[in-house]
Amino acid sequence: MKAKKFTFKTEKSTGAYRSFYDDIHYIKYEGKIVGSIHAKTHQIRLMVYKNDIMEDGNPNCEWKNIFLKNEFDSIPEAKDFLNRQFENILKQYKLHQQED
């Protein structure tokens, strides 16, 4: 059975220089990473398969990063948007899944 929504995982910065780095907010589908939410702009990035292997001039990779035009005021607002648009996103894009 396919998942009916995205899940999310926040990876906190660690180490002596953690204050210089933002937390990473991963977007997951079926337990695998398919994108992220930028910590400061709250912009959504998804990893999608290319329609044509040469569409970005790189024949060595079959997927690319895309950014959705929407920007949000908070991480929870971006997460809510993703789950409201879940079916539309899956219809429009073939998501590349990466192990975390």
Side-chain angles (χ1 to χ4, degrees):
M1 184 170 135
K2 296 261 184 195
K4 296 191 182 195
K5 66 178 188 169
F6 292 109
T7 56
F8 306 93
K9 177 182 176 183
T10 299
E11 191 173 285
K12 299 276 186 187
S13 297
T14 59
Y17 299 103
R18 69 184 165 270
S19 63
F20 295 105
Y21 298 99
D22 295 321
D23 295 341
I24 302 170
H25 304 279
Y26 291 112
I27 302 164
K28 297 178 93 178
Y29 175 61
E30 296 179 340
K32 297 190 173 137
I33 295 171
V34 295
S36 64
I37 302 171
H38 191 275
K40 291 184 181 170
T41 64
H42 309 118
Q43 192 173 17
I44 297 168
R45 176 184 62 93
L46 296 173
M47 299 181 295
V48 299
Y49 285 98
K50 300 176 197 176
N51 295 325
D52 173 19
I53 194 74
M54 287 302 293
E55 76 182 48
D56 65 352
N58 181 2
N60 298 320
C61 189
E62 58 189 14
W63 61 273
K64 65 180 179 176
N65 287 311
I66 61 163
F67 288 88
L68 300 185
K69 290 183 181 180
N70 307 56
E71 288 190 28
F72 304 93
D73 295 328
S74 66
I75 296 292
E77 195 177 316
K79 290 177 180 180
D80 184 49
F81 171 82
L82 281 165
N83 281 324
R84 278 195 329 268
Q85 297 299 320
F86 176 77
E87 289 183 18
N88 292 334
I89 290 170
L90 291 184
K91 283 179 191 172
Q92 190 168 359
Y93 304 109
K94 183 177 178 204
L95 299 174
H96 170 73
Q97 296 179 328
Q98 152 186 328
E99 297 291 331
D100 59 3

